[in-house]
Amino acid sequence: MQAQFGLLHSFRGSIRRRQCTIGEVNTSRLDWKQRKKDARYGHDTWRPIKRLSRDQMEHLKTLHSEQPDTWTVPKLATGFGISTSAVTRILRSKFEPSAETKERQDASALKRRAERGQKLTGEKEK
């Protein structure tokens, strides 16, 4: 079943109607409003639009802990390109992966970067 919500968006001075399904993430609305609406229809799992790496999360935490007046939650959200609710979740999180898990994740990330680099250089030569 596909339920639709009518949302008004201004687009170059004109107002148009946009239809979106329940599971679709709508970035034009406030994040918390969309999640509240999704929760009403049984879609209450946390699905962030953009994910950060462990290094980026650690960097976000250190910026906020060293200078909380300068690096506020809204400023961090715009700087990292994520929602304010995601920033608050990261700041509240106490999770620290084990050394084995961290090494495995770093190794797989390096492998993906190398593969991506090979694809890019291979396409440029053609």
Side-chain angles (χ1 to χ4, degrees):
M1 183 175 151
Q2 186 180 33
Q4 296 182 346
F5 305 109
L7 304 173
L8 292 176
H9 298 279
S10 63
F11 181 71
R12 293 186 185 167
S14 65
I15 296 178
R16 65 183 174 95
R17 203 163 183 82
R18 178 174 181 260
Q19 301 294 324
C20 66
T21 60
I22 291 175
E24 180 182 345
V25 177
N26 188 356
T27 56
S28 64
R29 292 190 67 165
L30 292 176
D31 193 38
W32 65 272
K33 283 187 179 179
Q34 180 65 32
R35 299 210 186 278
K36 186 176 179 181
K37 186 166 279 220
D38 284 347
R40 254 188 266 152
Y41 293 100
H43 300 283
D44 56 350
T45 57
W46 173 248
R47 295 176 305 222
I49 297 166
K50 179 180 174 184
R51 292 185 179 186
L52 298 179
S53 66
R54 284 276 157 218
D55 293 335
Q56 289 174 326
M57 287 185 203
E58 289 173 10
H59 184 62
L60 187 142
K61 285 182 177 183
T62 55
L63 285 175
H64 186 71
S65 65
E66 290 174 358
Q67 298 175 341
D69 297 335
T70 307
W71 295 102
T72 60
V73 171
K75 196 170 185 179
L76 287 168
T78 56
F80 282 90
I82 56 176
S83 66
T84 54
S85 59
V87 172
T88 54
R89 282 175 181 254
I90 291 168
L91 292 175
R92 283 187 297 178
S93 173
K94 305 249 188 279
F95 175 76
E96 195 62 39
S98 65
E100 297 170 355
T101 307
K102 200 168 188 176
E103 287 176 17
R104 189 181 72 237
Q105 289 174 346
D106 290 342
S108 65
L110 287 173
K111 183 181 174 184
R112 282 194 308 269
R113 279 191 203 130
E115 290 173 359
R116 198 175 328 135
Q118 289 174 355
K119 285 181 183 179
L120 291 175
T121 56
E123 290 177 5
K124 288 182 180 178
E125 291 174 1
K126 291 180 181 178

